[in-house]
Amino acid sequence: MALPVPAVDSADVGLIGLAVMGQNLALNMADHGFKVAVYNRTTTVTEATLEAHPVSTYGEKGGFLIGAAELKDFVASIKRPRRIIILVKAGPGTDAVIDSLTPLVEAGDLIIDGGNAEWSDTVRRGKALHEKGILYIGSGVSGGEEGARFGPSLMPGGSKDAWPLLEPIWTAIAAKVDPETGKPLPGASAGKPDEGGVPCTTWIGAGGAGHYVKMVHNGIEYGDMQLIAEAYAFMRDSLRMNNVEIADVFTSWNTGELDSFLIQITADILKQKDPVTGKDFVDMVLDAAGQKGTGKWTINSSLDLGIPATVIAEAVFARQMSSAIEQRRFAAKILKVSAKDRNRPNKQHMGAWIAFVRDALYCSKICSYAQGFALMAAASHEYGWDLKLGEIASIFRGGCIIRARFLQKITEAYARRPELANLVLDEYFAEELFKRQSHWRTVVAHAAMTGIPVPAFAASLSWFDSYRSRQLPHNLLQAQRDYFGAHTYERIDAPRGKFFHLQWLTEGRPQTEIQ
């Protein structure tokens, strides 16, 4: 089909980029009554989108899609002040789209980047567009293709003056949760938009705040997925459970405090049969995990801000290790675990061990989220964003990949104490860690003794023990630094911030302390 030139000012909002996420977000907006101009660099993609989704598929609220073959006609079709969403590959592709849009839009128009942009790029782009009078928002969009179609979690940040222009759209299309329980409403799973409830979007903050929070969300997602994988590995390799048995455990966990999207899909995956061989699907998948960089960005930021995000770091390193397949297969022939260390738990105690793994997963999850929220708090202070951590937790409750019952507890924790220094200090989480930690320690210890890698379980436990330690061995470490590099040290009998250097005793030189 050939695309006619759309009428001027005929669309409420525009969207550039008609890959899966773009198409689904456009249809979501149309379902909620918005007239959406759509454009793709390859015109045949735009044509195919309009053919596949005639007006009858958009719902009864009067929204529909308007296609344009030329970018200038696309821009002209959008009512002023224009709202234009970009959903293209992050990086140079986004810059190229913005550069082509800039001569066609006007002061007061709004450009929204809904891709997985690095937050510092969002800051740069926002400043450049601000100089031209163009409004700019970088918004995290989480939930995958189903979320985009029926209700994602949306994390907008950038020009505060732009939020009133975007808020009606983002509030309408976001996932919705029950205001009392925080549970996602069943719209997406029922194949229709969520109606009513609390929308999973809020204004995050200035500059790159929206994309920063989306980055940390993705880092937490890395941690969640690694922890679930370690629970699966422990049940498979130590408890010798088959995939159906493990799936049943995850299904039961999904009715309790571990209830989450990732736990649910894990159970589904473990029950899936391979359509080619008929074997269990998960056993046919190569154990090499990919990544797109947001986990690494999160680690880099944690290093810059001095916030230990050890679970996320180990999750990234574990993916990197998984990719070294040839080396691992060669090493498996050489680096053996002694037979006496391969003892398995007694089958008679299977139920108890499954409970141990559940508690190890829950405790580790608490610590992982505590690290992620501590990182957001530090970034808020460093960059002047004034992030509302309770609101951020609340918009993660629906639509996004890490949506979980657990997030209601985080929302409540920050409602009790908005300035909470760390999530593990909240009364609920402190009590849960106290009650479950012996099981957590048992799992980590047994995995170490039997050679089962659980880097994220172990990292979370070490972080917990470090955070709760009244004294760490870093008095010795700092003394070492002063010895070999004159890096100075603080004294326990002097005020913080007052530094000393010891003139270390060497042959022919007396030992003295220099302030």
Side-chain angles (χ1 to χ4, degrees):
M1 62 175 285
L3 294 173
V5 176
V8 174
D9 294 342
S10 56
D12 301 310
V13 60
L15 185 143
I16 297 175
L18 291 174
V20 173
M21 287 291 287
Q23 284 190 33
N24 284 328
L25 202 71
L27 291 170
N28 189 348
M29 290 188 287
D31 275 337
H32 286 86
F34 297 100
K35 300 173 179 63
V36 187
V38 294
Y39 173 84
N40 199 80
R41 184 177 60 177
T42 305
T43 305
T44 54
V45 173
T46 308
E47 293 170 350
T49 300
L50 295 178
E51 283 185 3
H53 302 286
V55 173
S56 60
T57 67
Y58 304 147
E60 302 176 354
K61 293 190 176 180
F64 52 84
L65 304 189
I66 305 165
E70 301 293 333
L71 187 62
K72 62 180 178 62
D73 296 329
F74 162 81
V75 172
S77 72
I78 305 167
K79 298 172 185 175
R80 299 177 181 83
R82 300 180 178 93
R83 298 170 289 191
I84 300 174
I85 301 163
I86 301 171
L87 268 172
V88 300
K89 188 175 181 180
T94 302
D95 285 322
V97 171
I98 291 173
D99 289 344
S100 24
L101 275 176
T102 302
L104 302 174
V105 297
E106 303 170 8
D109 287 348
L110 168 61
I111 295 173
I112 306 107
D113 176 13
N116 256 343
E118 192 164 4
W119 70 273
S120 55
D121 284 343
T122 302
V123 172
R124 169 179 57 80
R125 292 167 184 148
K127 288 179 179 177
L129 289 171
H130 176 75
E131 292 175 358
K132 297 178 173 63
I134 300 168
L135 300 171
Y136 187 69
I137 282 178
S139 180
V141 178
S142 180
E145 56 184 280
E146 183 180 1
R149 181 66 183 88
F150 298 113
S153 176
L154 299 164
M155 300 152 238
S159 306
K160 183 65 181 289
D161 293 342
W163 179 228
L165 292 176
L166 183 60
E167 184 177 15
I169 299 174
W170 255 215
T171 299
I173 69 171
K176 310 298 189 300
V177 297
D178 184 280
E180 295 183 4
T181 66
K183 291 183 178 180
L185 296 178
S189 60
K192 61 183 180 181
D194 288 324
E195 300 296 344
V198 179
C200 291
T201 187
T202 189
W203 179 250
I204 300 296
H211 274 139
Y212 188 92
V213 167
K214 176 57 163 60
M215 175 194 77
V216 176
H217 162 283
N218 285 19
I220 292 171
E221 178 186 312
Y222 273 60
D224 260 354
M225 294 173 73
Q226 178 64 27
L227 292 168
I228 290 169
E230 291 177 16
Y232 153 74
F234 192 94
M235 287 186 280
R236 180 193 65 187
D237 298 337
S238 184
L239 304 184
R240 297 183 186 272
M241 296 168 64
N242 63 42
N243 292 324
V244 173
E245 291 170 333
I246 300 172
D248 288 343
V249 169
F250 278 108
T251 299
S252 69
W253 287 353
N254 202 45
T255 63
E257 64 275 357
L258 287 169
D259 171 17
S260 71
F261 172 71
L262 286 171
I263 293 288
Q264 171 199 324
I265 69 168
T266 299
D268 292 343
I269 290 166
L270 289 167
K271 294 174 184 174
Q272 177 68 41
K273 293 295 183 182
D274 177 41
V276 178
T277 65
K279 297 179 180 179
D280 290 352
F281 172 75
V282 72
D283 293 337
M284 300 305 298
V285 178
L286 190 68
D287 58 325
Q291 54 186 310
K292 292 188 175 179
T294 47
K296 184 180 75 172
W297 295 348
T298 308
I299 298 169
N300 290 343
S301 180
S302 75
L303 293 171
D304 290 340
L305 296 173
I307 301 297
T310 57
V311 181
I312 297 170
E314 288 296 345
V316 172
F317 295 149
R319 292 195 191 192
Q320 293 169 343
M321 181 67 81
S322 78
S323 297
I325 294 176
E326 290 76 16
Q327 289 186 49
R328 287 192 290 109
R329 287 176 177 169
F330 182 72
K333 300 174 183 178
I334 299 170
L335 306 175
K336 304 291 186 180
V337 175
S338 60
K340 65 184 177 69
D341 290 334
R342 296 298 291 179
N343 295 324
R344 296 300 201 272
N346 192 313
K347 280 281 187 180
Q348 294 178 329
H349 302 139
M350 185 69 73
W353 274 99
I354 290 171
F356 291 177
V357 179
R358 178 202 62 210
D359 288 351
L361 178 56
Y362 194 56
C363 288
S364 298
K365 184 182 179 80
I366 292 171
C367 293
S368 179
Y369 279 68
Q371 292 174 15
F373 276 79
L375 181 55
M376 287 189 282
S380 179
H381 177 76
E382 179 72 15
Y383 306 120
W385 287 336
D386 191 26
L387 300 183
K388 304 292 191 294
L389 299 182
E391 291 183 13
I392 291 169
S394 73
I395 69 171
F396 288 169
R397 293 178 298 179
C400 68
I401 302 302
I402 65 171
R403 60 184 182 268
R405 178 186 299 190
F406 170 79
L407 283 153
Q408 180 67 16
K409 296 296 185 182
I410 298 179
T411 303
E412 292 168 0
Y414 285 111
R416 285 190 290 269
R417 294 166 61 190
E419 303 304 320
L420 185 65
N422 192 284
L423 205 54
V424 297
L425 301 178
D426 173 72
E427 57 193 36
Y428 168 79
F429 292 113
E431 178 64 20
E432 290 298 303
L433 290 167
F434 176 74
K435 289 190 305 185
R436 301 170 189 259
Q437 66 174 280
S438 64
H439 294 172
W440 184 18
R441 295 182 189 282
T442 298
V443 168
V444 172
H446 187 80
M449 289 297 296
T450 55
I452 298 172
V454 288
F457 276 4
S460 61
L461 180 56
S462 291
W463 177 87
F464 171 74
D465 282 334
S466 294
Y467 190 71
R468 66 171 194 84
S469 289
R470 189 174 186 86
Q471 184 175 20
L472 290 168
H474 293 73
N475 51 335
L476 174 60
L477 189 151
Q478 191 62 23
Q480 292 171 333
R481 296 183 72 240
D482 190 59
Y483 189 108
F484 67 68
H487 292 297
T488 74
Y489 58 90
E490 296 173 274
R491 294 181 59 87
I492 63 171
D493 54 1
R496 285 300 309 269
K498 189 174 183 179
F499 291 90
F500 301 83
H501 167 59
L502 188 65
Q503 196 71 272
W504 291 90
L505 182 63
T506 57
E507 188 175 347
R509 190 172 66 185
Q511 188 172 8
T512 58
E513 184 173 64
I514 303 171
Q515 183 176 321

